[in-house]
Amino acid sequence: MNQYKIKCPFFTAPYGSASSYGGQSNELSTMEGSIQGDGIYTCASFSTYSVEQMSSFIKKESKEPNPFYMYQLYLTGDNDINISLIERIKASDVPILIVTIDTGGNAHGGIGLLENQSDLTYSYNFTGNLRADPVFNIKCYEKYKCVGTKDKTVLAEVSKYLKIPISTVLSSYDLSKAFDYAKVVQGEGMGNLYMSNNAKDTLCLKNIVNIAHSKNSISKYVNRNFKKGIPIVFKGCISIPVALNIQKSGADGVYVSNHGGRFIYNSIPPLDILTDIKNAVKKNDSKFGVWFDGGIRYGSDIVTAYCRGAEFVGLGRPIIYACVLYGKEGVSATTKKFRFELETQCKICGINNFSLKEQMKGILFRENN
């Protein structure tokens, strides 16, 4: 996996549909609070904002010339739209792509709800990134003679491909119809990602990896300028066979997580399988990334996760609760609190550098091998 020098050994886990949580919660507050607390932010694809907007916001908020952040993506059922979504992420200079794969039987109410487009997290606002995609709008116009955005930069691409005046495209704007199409195309992808590595299956691990790693634009609709691919990590793995399939696909890492344990309450806790997954994938490639989230509530929990084999740890609920109650100030304070607790716990355990993995073995748990 690509090596990045980062100042924080944990990150804000993807926090989608942030504006639906009430209180002071929203995507910008989470982002601003993470950055102000010297943390690492992960953009969520269920957002009011497009990837281009979020990338611009992050670069303005950060004091660093090339800030490190990540983007989490839910795949759609349309390969052309997936290509466009991933290429937009690359063109926005996002350092790392996270693709969520645990949206079948154990997420968002299961495949049945997804196929019927009845997921309660859906709202006009949370399709902001999808409706800002030119290929989505091209296909929406071809199917329903309407578009889902008024952004003239996006519509210029639609106009160019369809060979119709941009004024005609703009006048066709219909949020309701576009949203209905967004629900269909999103639902067809989220619950149907194949664990196979047959690249002929467009919704399979290998195909998505190939799109992410491609150094050139492969879209049939929009030609974009970027000079390199993007590292990709698949999120939502709690079994060794799935982890090994992810590794065989050519991905750069596996993200051990059970989607916050929200949908199948008796699923295996990610921490219980973390060491086994780490041992399995590291036998094949010592540089293959192993990430983790689940149940992190204190700095000591991050140490525990590292001792069990994690190389990067995500914070979920503590960040969400802080943002709901106190907005960006709450997120910043929580991030700083975790940094302080983590540093203190490391000193107690005699750990002075997270890159020295051998120091961590056997401190809290003993590996089986």
Side-chain angles (χ1 to χ4, degrees):
M1 186 171 182
N2 288 27
Q3 298 295 309
Y4 288 94
K5 291 184 178 180
I6 56 174
K7 58 186 178 182
C8 186
F10 59 85
F11 60 94
T12 298
Y15 174 15
S17 306
S19 298
S20 69
Y21 284 72
Q24 299 186 47
S25 175
N26 61 67
E27 295 96 334
L28 293 185
S29 292
T30 316
M31 178 272 292
E32 291 170 350
S34 295
I35 293 176
Q36 289 174 12
D38 286 329
I40 295 171
Y41 181 65
T42 305
C43 304
S45 58
F46 277 3
S47 171
T48 306
Y49 306 98
S50 68
V51 60
E52 292 85 1
Q53 289 174 318
M54 287 305 301
S55 294
S56 177
F57 294 151
I58 290 170
K59 290 169 184 176
K60 288 180 181 178
E61 181 68 26
S62 177
K63 298 176 182 178
E64 301 176 10
N66 296 301
F68 180 86
Y69 63 105
M70 301 179 287
Y71 196 93
Q72 173 269 334
L73 179 67
Y74 286 120
L75 296 170
T76 75
D78 188 307
N79 193 52
D80 294 323
I81 295 176
N82 288 335
I83 289 172
S84 185
L85 290 170
I86 294 173
E87 289 192 347
R88 286 170 54 210
I89 293 168
K90 288 191 278 187
S92 297
D93 295 322
V94 178
I96 291 182
L97 169 64
I98 299 171
V99 172
T100 300
I101 63 174
D102 59 351
T103 45
N106 71 326
H108 293 275
I111 294 176
L113 286 179
L114 287 169
E115 290 178 340
N116 292 319
Q117 297 90 51
S118 20
D119 186 330
L120 294 179
T121 64
Y122 280 120
S123 168
Y124 292 137
N125 289 339
F126 308 140
T127 56
N129 186 56
L130 182 57
R131 289 187 293 104
D133 189 82
V135 178
F136 168 85
N137 283 285
I138 288 169
K139 295 203 170 190
C140 187
Y141 190 89
E142 289 177 334
K143 289 177 179 289
Y144 302 107
K145 292 295 182 287
C146 72
V147 293
T149 182
K150 294 182 179 180
D151 187 325
K152 292 185 179 180
T153 301
V154 177
L155 297 183
E157 297 288 354
V158 178
S159 172
K160 180 180 179 181
Y161 181 83
L162 294 176
K163 298 180 180 179
I164 56 178
I166 191 170
S167 58
T168 302
V169 178
L170 181 60
S171 66
S172 75
Y173 173 77
D174 189 322
L175 178 58
S176 180
K177 287 184 179 179
F179 177 64
D180 286 341
Y181 178 52
K183 288 193 294 183
V184 171
V185 74
Q186 189 73 79
E188 289 173 347
M190 288 177 63
N192 295 297
L193 182 67
Y194 305 139
M195 289 299 104
S196 76
N197 285 313
N198 181 357
K200 293 182 180 179
D201 298 324
T202 57
L203 270 178
C204 78
L205 298 171
K206 183 63 176 177
N207 181 58
I208 302 305
V209 169
N210 287 343
I211 296 170
H213 285 174
S214 175
K215 297 180 181 179
N216 303 305
S217 178
I218 59 175
S219 174
K220 297 180 292 185
Y221 297 84
V222 180
N223 186 36
R224 297 184 176 88
N225 295 318
F226 49 83
K227 298 180 180 180
K228 59 183 179 180
I230 186 171
I232 181 171
V233 175
F234 285 107
K235 175 181 182 290
C237 173
I238 50 172
S239 78
I240 293 174
V242 171
L244 292 175
N245 271 342
I246 289 171
Q247 188 174 43
K248 289 177 183 177
S249 74
D252 301 280
V254 60
Y255 186 154
V256 181
S257 171
N258 68 355
H259 213 111
R262 300 198 303 276
F263 305 106
I264 292 186
Y265 294 100
N266 60 348
S267 66
I268 185 170
L271 189 65
D272 286 356
I273 195 67
L274 175 60
T275 301
D276 293 336
I277 287 177
K278 186 266 293 186
N279 289 340
V281 298
K282 292 296 184 179
K283 285 181 181 178
N284 301 321
D285 182 357
S286 63
K287 294 183 179 180
F288 188 76
V290 179
W291 297 10
F292 168 87
D293 75 19
I296 301 296
R297 300 294 182 268
Y298 305 98
S300 57
D301 296 332
I302 299 176
V303 178
T304 299
Y306 269 90
C307 290
R308 294 299 296 264
E311 296 174 317
F312 211 9
V313 176
L315 307 185
R317 280 175 174 80
I319 295 293
I320 295 174
Y321 298 157
C323 196
V324 169
L325 292 173
Y326 304 110
K328 65 181 180 181
E329 288 81 9
V331 174
S332 176
T334 298
T335 303
K336 291 176 180 178
K337 169 182 175 289
F338 272 89
R339 291 176 65 90
F340 174 77
E341 291 179 348
L342 179 59
E343 181 180 356
T344 301
Q345 290 296 310
C346 286
K347 288 179 179 178
I348 291 172
C349 294
I351 302 169
N352 56 39
N353 190 333
F354 264 149
S355 67
L356 302 177
K357 302 296 183 185
E358 293 301 317
Q359 282 188 295
M360 310 188 73
K361 290 184 177 180
I363 291 176
L364 298 180
F365 296 91
R366 293 190 179 277
E367 296 187 24
N368 293 327
N369 60 343

